[in-house]
Amino acid sequence: MLRSQFEILYPGVSFGNNVQILGMANVDIGTGSCIGDNAWLNVCQRDNEKRIKIGRCVLVGRGSMISAGGFLEIGDYCLFAPRVFVADADHVYSNIMRPYIDQGATSGRVVVEENCWLGVNVAVSGNVVIGRGSVVGASAVVTRDVPPFSVVVGAPARIIQLFDFELGGWVKIRDDCHLSGLLEARERHPVPSRSVYAKMLHKTAVTKTVNPLVAGGGVSI
């Protein structure tokens, strides 16, 4: 019965086994996307607003959790490895004399822009934007904004590569001064806007639908 509800609400989306969505009316998922086995999508505030927006041709890896208290967006063509955690909400813990579970949750905003690749066990928390075209290395912890077209690793995440649009390639970051210079160069050669980049991706993409087998569902070939 639940799978039929998924099919009605999210046509053209593939689901693995044991996927749970709390607040389905508040969640949009674009066609061609795939939600893997044991993934959990959670909306803390259930009202008439869309709180989680997942774009087209997105892979949410097995065992991942996406939780929204305010608004959480994942752009087209994003790839999440297994066990990725993304949340804009946190538990309130200001009063140590009361159970934290009774103190409510914060409400924020997280945006993962188009064509980002988040490795296994990545955690994203707070009010952050991960810029389009970025890569987040395995087990990284992202708690602040990531510029578009960056590679970040570590806890907390730090930039180790940046795409240089003057050179037309990825550049390894030597130090903070080098990073500042590359970011300043983007003022002379601005990076593509979200809308321009999204159009480019849709024009060049060969994959229009994430293979449903990736969701799992106990299927072996």
Side-chain angles (χ1 to χ4, degrees), residues 26-212:
N26 305 103
V27 177
D28 268 348
I29 306 176
T31 58
S33 291
C34 179
I35 312 298
D37 286 344
N38 303 305
W40 179 24
L41 278 59
N42 175 61
V43 175
C44 301
Q45 182 175 340
R46 292 164 208 164
D47 49 20
N48 296 320
E49 301 293 327
K50 294 299 181 183
R51 299 291 176 179
I52 294 178
K53 181 180 178 182
I54 298 175
R56 296 167 55 186
C57 214
V58 170
L59 171 61
V60 175
R62 304 179 192 192
S64 294
M65 177 181 177
I66 298 170
S67 183
F71 179 72
L72 195 155
E73 179 183 3
I74 301 169
D76 297 346
Y77 295 104
C78 283
L79 298 174
F80 286 11
R83 300 186 301 281
V84 168
F85 173 84
V86 182
D88 70 356
D90 198 359
H91 289 285
V92 176
Y93 54 90
S94 56
N95 186 348
I96 63 167
M97 304 308 293
R98 291 183 60 204
Y100 299 147
I101 197 171
D102 293 335
Q103 296 187 48
T106 61
S107 176
R109 179 182 177 89
V110 168
V111 178
V112 182
E113 294 183 347
E114 290 69 24
N115 199 34
C116 290
W117 161 229
L118 277 60
V120 65
N121 294 326
V122 163
V124 180
S125 180
N127 289 279
V128 297
V129 176
I130 298 179
R132 53 206 171 273
S134 291
V135 178
V136 182
S139 299
V141 178
V142 181
T143 57
R144 58 183 180 179
D145 290 352
V146 174
F149 309 103
S150 301
V151 177
V152 300
V153 300
R158 70 186 189 283
I159 302 172
I160 62 167
Q161 291 187 59
L162 202 70
F163 195 88
D164 187 327
F165 282 85
E166 288 185 319
L167 297 177
W170 292 97
V171 176
K172 292 183 178 180
I173 304 302
R174 297 191 300 270
D175 50 37
D176 289 345
C177 183
H178 183 214
L179 174 60
S180 296
L182 290 173
L183 291 173
E184 289 175 3
R186 289 185 169 186
E187 296 180 6
R188 300 189 298 271
H189 295 270
V191 302
S193 67
R194 281 192 71 182
S195 60
V196 168
Y197 188 56
K199 289 179 182 177
M200 185 188 311
L201 293 172
H202 286 292
K203 182 178 180 180
T204 60
V206 174
T207 299
K208 304 299 182 182
T209 299
V210 178
N211 191 329

